[in-house]
Structures are given as structure tokens and as C-alpha cells.
Amino acid sequence: MGEFVMKKDQWIMGIETSCDETAVAIIKNGREIASNVVASQIESHKRFGGVVPEIASRHHVEQMTIVLEEAVNQAGITLGDLDAIAVTSGPGLVGALLVGVNAAKAISFAHAIPLLGVHHIAGHIYANRLVTEMKFPLLSLVVSGGHTELVLMKEHGHFEVIGETRDDAAGEAYDKVARTLNLPYPGGPHIDRLAHEGVPSINLPRAWLEEGSYDFSFSGLKSAVINTVHNAEQRGETIKPEDLAASFQASVIDVLVTKTLKAVKEFKVEQVLLAGGVAANKGLRAALSEAFKELQGVDLVIPPLSLCTDNAAMIAAAGSILFEKGQRSNLALNGNPGLELSIHN
Amino acid sequence: MKILAIDTSNYTMGIGILIGDQVAGEYITNLKKNHSVRVMPAIEALMHECEIKPSELTKIVVAKGPGSYTGVRIGVTIAKTLAWSLGIPITGVSSLEVVAASSGRHFEGKVSPLFDARRGQIYTGLYEYKEGSLHTVIKDQLILSKDWAKQLESQDDSILFTGVDLHLHQDVIKKELQDKAVFASPTEYNPRPAELAFLGKDKPAEELHSFVPNYIRLAEAEAKWKELNQS
Ligand SMILES: [Zn+2]
């Protein structure tokens, strides 16, 4: 026997069904993607102008085993090779979450594989670890359809929410403004595209909130956009949608970037991670990159688009940390639509 | 042959294990409690008691609805994923058929199992035992209990009504059918998971990936969309 013990590779399966993507992924040693399969339902929900929870749940049941099989086949491993199964247990649509949670529990039981319930936002943050190793303390700006948060991490698995939205999430504001401009669902990418063709010439408010607060508020901005369109219609004027989109986007990005930079200085972080579906926004990516050019010694990490939107590789990546910390869920794990991101997730 | 049967389609939660032709174990509750939290621990406990490892299972049988959308989905998701991960066949059985089998085996006549579907409606169907096996006379559907009772007036036989929600519709049925209607007693209401296992035992296996619950109803948004787009 040699004195070196070969460390076995760690294989984690991730399952994500919190909204309208049925996703399964397998990652190796916490950071390498072996497979990352996402079945999107967006085409089905487009006709309703938004995600219909009951229909999302039905699609998850239709897709679950197909996506599982594809993820296992692509990774070229067997279920017996898995060290753990990580699944999004919240937040999200409860009926949708339950499909992933119960599928994960069934595999965990059938093959005696440890089960890990993962917070969806922890997953979004950990998508970054599939790009580069984390350096603490770090700050993550999480922007998605349901979330706008600034999360401070002092070590792996430690999440401190220092700021969050008090009303609409940034993604929600995007969707509502898109509807006002009669853009198809989902509106975010359309606004982003239009914004690049327009000039931010319309004066829209920025909600800074009280001094020192890292919280966000986007409902006032959303109302201002709607009022601007309404007033112009009454006066028989036309507003260029491109300019309105550019002005709206400029306001959102200004607040996000300014608050992030302020937190970077106050908490002296080494790294800033962009996370969540809105991180796919080109305007936001560009503005953050520009702002961080001047900051010495702080890395800005922006994951590729495929890892910003909902996927299961990010859930497996977050699960890998829970696994190493010895945290386990049991077969009574439930889907929790209002799950809070706590310090010891 | 070792079969695991799972029914979470309504408030009654049932797990059954068949070893050969023997009913090795059953777990039944009829509680308004969360199936998602309770069903896997119940499966684990019952299999442990019966000393069966998951890898020894040869088939999964599941109640595929109708019932609570979420409830049916929990059972079908677990059943599909177990069958897929163990590489064994899966068979779906009507949740109503299980109730019919659980109270109607020795009844001379036809059996109408029912689940309440709110606003005077029920999920029901008409079944009959012939030479020891259960047959469908009228397929599962969603209907006002009053209309269903009227529709059954033309049946020659007596009809046994059964199911945990019977008390909600018993008066309406009695009024329409008088003595033609017979009512099961509470000990017969719960769908027995062992009956589910036997019903699915010899039925052909489903195509695993495409197997879905029988919700009977379209999702509300889907129904409205169809109404608007197909006229
Ligand atoms: Zn997300």
C-alpha cells in the first residue's frame, strides 16, 4: 500500500423544477459539468403571457424521467456512482417544486443515495463556481424574475442577505414594462434588445431608499413607465419604444450597479458574482463590467448565459457544499414555496 | 414477484406490497395531511417491515387519478422515478377502479365509486364484477352527482355507491334513485392499496416516459385558451 490515497471523484446529481424548466444535471467534484439538461416549457406558457402553475406542474411530470435519463446518459455514469442528489426545495411554485422533490426522494430511496435540499438562490449563486473558484468574502448580486438581492458570503454555504426588493423583483418590472410596450412574453430580452437601439432620453425615477439601505424597489419605476406611456397617449404624442426601454433599463441598472459598488466597498469583498436570469441582460453585464474596471483587487464574475437562467448544474454545485459539510435532508423533505435563504443553507 | 403499489390521488394515502399472491403489507391513512412529506417515509417504513429492498421490486403500480391534481402528481412522479431508476415496469390504474374493487367484490349489481369534485360535481365511473374480475361499464368522468344519478336510473341492477366523500352526495343520489341505490359503509370507503396492486399486477406495463396522470380535466387556463382559440 502506498501512502497516497487516491481521492474518489465526487458525483452529484442536481434536479431543478421550481418554475418552468425541468432540469437535471450531473457535476463532478463540485465544479465540472458532466451533463446539464434543461427542458424549457416556455413555448407552452407563451400563449398565456406568463407561467401558469398547474400547466408547469403537468409538464414537469411529462418531462422528469426523460430529462433524468438524458442527464445520466450524457454524463456516462450510473446512478450507483452518485454520491448525492441535490434538489431545489424552494422557493418557487409549490406544485412544480413537488415534482422535482419527489423524484429526487424516489431515487435517493431506491439507490440509498444521500439527499440534499437546496435553496434556489443558493443555486444561482453557485452557478459561478462552475466558472471560477469562489474567493471570500464575496458579494453576489442576484437578479431574476422573482428576486433582486445582494447576498454577502463569508465562507461556503454562508449566505447573508444584506439587501432585497421591497416590492417587485427586477425581472417582474421588466415583464410588466414589456407588457405596457406590447412586447411578447417573456419581455426581458425584448426590452434589453430595444434598449440598445434607443437613447435613455426620458427621465425616470431611481429608488435609492433611505441612506445606507441596500434594499431595492422597482414598483415606482414601473408605474412611472406606465404613466409616461399613458400621458403621451392622452396628448396624442408618440414615444419611441426604444427610448423608453433604454430609459427604463438605465434606471434599473443605475440602481443595481451603484448599490453593488457601495456594498463592495463597505464589506471589502474580494469577488462579486452576478447570478439569476436577469444576469443574461446584456446592458447589465456591460454596465457592471465597465464599473468594475476601476476597482482594484475585486474580481467580477459573470457566468455564461446558460448558467444564469434556471438549470440544475447550479443546484448540484450548491449541493456539493452541503454534501461536504455533512448536511443531509431526509425522505420527509418538502417543497417550500417561501423558503428563506438563511445563513446556514 | 414483488409489487409496490402507491396511491396518493386523494386524501386516502395507501401503500401496498404484494409478494407473489400474498398481501405482505398495507399502509392506509385517510387524513387531510401533506402527502408529499409522508409518502416516501411510509414506503420506506413498510418496505423495511416487509424486509424488501428496493432492488428486489419487480413492478410498481400507481393510482393514476382522477383526484387532487397535486396528489395524483406526487404518486405518479414517485412511481415513474422509482420504475425508471430501478429499471422495472410501471402500471397505472384508475383511482376510482381501486375504490370500486375495495368495496364491490361481493356486491350483486354495479358499483359507482366517487370522489367529491366541488360544486356538486363528482369524479365517478360505473364498474361491475364479472367472474371475479372488475370491468368498466361507464368510463371515469366528471359530472354533477344529480345528473349521474339520473343517468343511472336506466340501469337494471342495484348500484353500490362508495368512497370517502359519499356523505356529501348520498342525499342527492338517494332522492333520484330511491331503493336502486345502495350505500357502502365507512370501513369499505378507503381504496385498498392491495387491491390496487392486484388490479395492476396483470395489466400491461405503460410506456414509462410518456405515462401521465389521468386528470380528466384540462388545467383551467388551458380550457379557457381552447375555448377562445377553437371557435
Ligand atoms: Zn431562478
Side-chain angles (χ1 to χ4, degrees):
Chain A
M1 292 290 282
E3 57 189 292
F4 299 107
V5 181
M6 281 288 283
K7 202 178 166 220
K8 185 195 158 293
D9 284 324
Q10 180 208 70
W11 294 97
I12 310 249
M13 173 186 271
I15 299 179
E16 152 66 39
T17 63
S18 67
C19 191
D20 62 342
E21 326 273 359
T22 315
V24 180
I26 291 167
I27 67 164
K28 187 178 162 184
N29 301 326
R31 301 200 41 211
E32 290 168 52
I33 297 174
S35 64
N36 188 15
V37 183
V38 181
S40 172
Q41 309 172 357
I42 202 150
E43 286 306 319
S44 173
H45 295 286
K46 263 185 183 164
R47 59 201 159 124
F48 306 113
V51 176
V52 179
E54 173 60 23
I55 291 173
S57 306
R58 291 186 181 196
H59 285 313
H60 286 309
V61 181
E62 291 160 13
Q63 293 296 322
M64 196 72 251
T65 58
I66 299 171
V67 177
L68 278 165
E69 188 161 295
E70 202 176 321
V72 171
N73 288 348
Q74 278 185 20
I77 62 160
T78 65
L79 293 176
D81 295 323
L82 292 175
D83 292 285
I85 300 173
V87 62
T88 308
S89 57
L93 303 169
V94 66
L97 287 167
L98 289 180
V99 175
V101 165
N102 281 288
K105 292 201 284 188
I107 303 172
S108 164
F109 169 67
H111 296 271
I113 304 166
L115 180 71
L116 312 162
V118 170
H119 192 285
H120 184 76
I121 296 303
H124 272 304
I125 295 171
Y126 269 88
N128 284 279
R129 197 168 179 238
L130 299 165
V131 179
T132 188
E133 188 50 279
M134 291 169 153
K135 285 194 285 184
F136 302 102
L138 66 77
L139 185 72
S140 185
L141 172 63
V142 185
V143 262
S144 73
H147 297 268
T148 310
E149 287 170 18
L150 273 170
V151 182
L152 179 67
M153 289 181 72
K154 290 177 181 152
E155 56 174 335
H156 277 304
H158 169 114
F159 306 95
E160 204 179 321
V161 179
I162 60 164
E164 62 195 326
T165 183
R166 292 187 185 167
D167 39 61
D168 294 354
E172 265 176 286
Y174 266 88
D175 284 340
K176 284 175 188 165
V177 168
R179 230 172 285 159
T180 306
L181 295 175
N182 292 316
L183 298 169
Y185 170 86
H190 292 286
I191 300 258
D192 193 20
R193 180 178 48 77
L194 279 186
H196 283 271
E197 295 162 10
V199 191
S201 53
I202 301 158
N203 194 18
L204 292 171
R206 280 133 174 84
W208 299 111
L209 305 175
E210 62 281 0
E211 180 72 28
S213 172
Y214 289 111
D215 281 351
F216 301 98
S217 164
F218 294 105
S219 76
L221 171 61
K222 172 199 69 189
S223 306
V225 170
I226 294 169
N227 288 340
T228 304
V229 172
H230 192 73
N231 292 343
E233 270 170 9
Q234 285 198 332
R235 288 197 298 263
E237 296 167 9
T238 45
I239 292 180
K240 270 181 77 185
E242 290 85 355
D243 292 347
L244 192 60
S247 307
F248 165 74
Q249 178 138 314
S251 171
V252 173
I253 290 174
D254 191 8
V255 174
L256 291 177
V257 172
T258 306
K259 294 218 174 198
T260 304
L261 286 177
K262 207 168 141 236
V264 164
K265 286 171 192 152
E266 180 177 342
F267 297 101
K268 300 186 175 60
V269 300
E270 305 232 341
Q271 218 178 25
V272 171
L273 314 178
L274 193 54
V278 182
N281 185 291
K282 291 194 194 73
L284 179 58
R285 296 166 87 97
L288 272 176
S289 303
E290 187 60 38
F292 274 79
K293 268 186 196 159
E294 294 155 29
L295 277 181
Q296 296 289 315
V298 184
D299 296 343
L300 173 67
V301 187
I302 304 182
L305 301 187
S306 62
L307 291 174
C308 290
T309 47
D310 287 355
N311 66 87
M314 68 185 202
I315 301 302
S320 169
I321 298 299
L322 297 180
F323 181 71
E324 277 168 17
K325 288 184 171 231
Q327 294 187 20
R328 302 287 182 268
S329 300
N330 62 30
L331 290 179
L333 180 68
N334 198 14
N336 180 352
L339 189 64
E340 299 263 351
L341 186 61
S342 61
I343 288 191
H344 298 292
N345 263 105
Chain B
M1 191 200 61
K2 289 171 184 165
I3 294 180
L4 172 66
I6 305 167
D7 185 354
T8 62
S9 48
N10 291 278
Y11 283 122
T12 308
M13 183 176 102
I15 316 294
I17 290 169
L18 226 56
I19 302 178
D21 280 333
Q22 289 254 316
V23 178
E26 283 183 285
Y27 179 105
I28 311 177
T29 57
N30 177 30
L31 303 165
K32 294 190 176 181
K33 282 189 180 175
N34 192 324
H35 288 336
S36 173
V37 171
R38 297 165 63 234
V39 65
M40 279 310 307
I43 291 172
E44 184 182 42
L46 188 63
M47 290 197 34
H48 181 77
E49 282 292 318
C50 296
E51 295 178 13
I52 296 177
K53 292 195 197 77
S55 59
E56 295 170 45
L57 291 172
T58 56
K59 189 177 199 180
I60 310 285
V61 180
V62 64
K64 66 176 178 184
S68 130
Y69 295 163
T70 302
V72 173
R73 257 196 299 275
I74 289 168
V76 169
T77 299
I78 289 173
K80 276 181 86 168
T81 314
L82 280 176
W84 170 75
S85 77
L86 294 167
I88 56 174
I90 179 172
T91 291
V93 172
S94 155
S95 302
L96 287 164
E97 191 176 349
V98 186
V99 178
S102 303
S103 16
R105 189 173 292 277
H106 301 290
F107 182 73
E108 297 282 337
K110 301 198 172 71
V111 188
S112 171
L114 64 86
F115 303 132
D116 180 56
R118 297 196 192 131
R119 280 170 271 154
Q121 300 177 107
I122 51 172
Y123 290 116
T124 188
L126 197 64
Y127 292 86
E128 181 180 28
Y129 266 102
K130 266 193 213 148
E131 287 146 21
S133 60
L134 193 61
H135 297 267
T136 306
V137 182
I138 301 175
K139 76 174 175 76
D140 295 352
Q141 57 193 279
L142 175 71
I143 188 170
L144 286 167
S145 53
K146 194 162 183 272
D147 293 348
W148 176 245
K150 277 195 184 130
Q151 190 184 324
L152 297 182
E153 271 170 2
S154 58
Q155 295 285 332
D156 295 329
D157 296 320
S158 311
I159 295 154
L160 176 71
F161 290 88
T162 180
V164 291
D165 299 325
L166 188 58
H167 63 281
L168 296 170
H169 300 275
Q170 190 159 340
D171 291 346
V172 172
I173 293 164
K174 180 87 192 162
K175 202 173 155 212
E176 295 294 332
L177 290 173
Q178 303 294 335
D179 292 346
K180 195 192 277 287
V182 180
F183 298 101
S185 64
T187 53
E188 301 168 304
Y189 290 166
N190 284 327
R192 291 271 310 271
E195 292 286 2
L196 170 63
F198 272 107
L199 287 169
K201 182 170 159 275
D202 300 319
K203 283 194 179 165
E206 315 280 347
E207 206 284 297
L208 179 99
H209 290 313
S210 60
F211 174 57
V212 288
N214 176 21
Y215 300 104
I216 293 199
R217 261 194 279 211
L218 287 174
E220 211 181 319
E222 182 102 47
K224 279 187 187 150
W225 185 84
K226 285 209 158 146
E227 227 174 72
L228 286 170
N229 289 273
Q230 288 185 346
S231 50

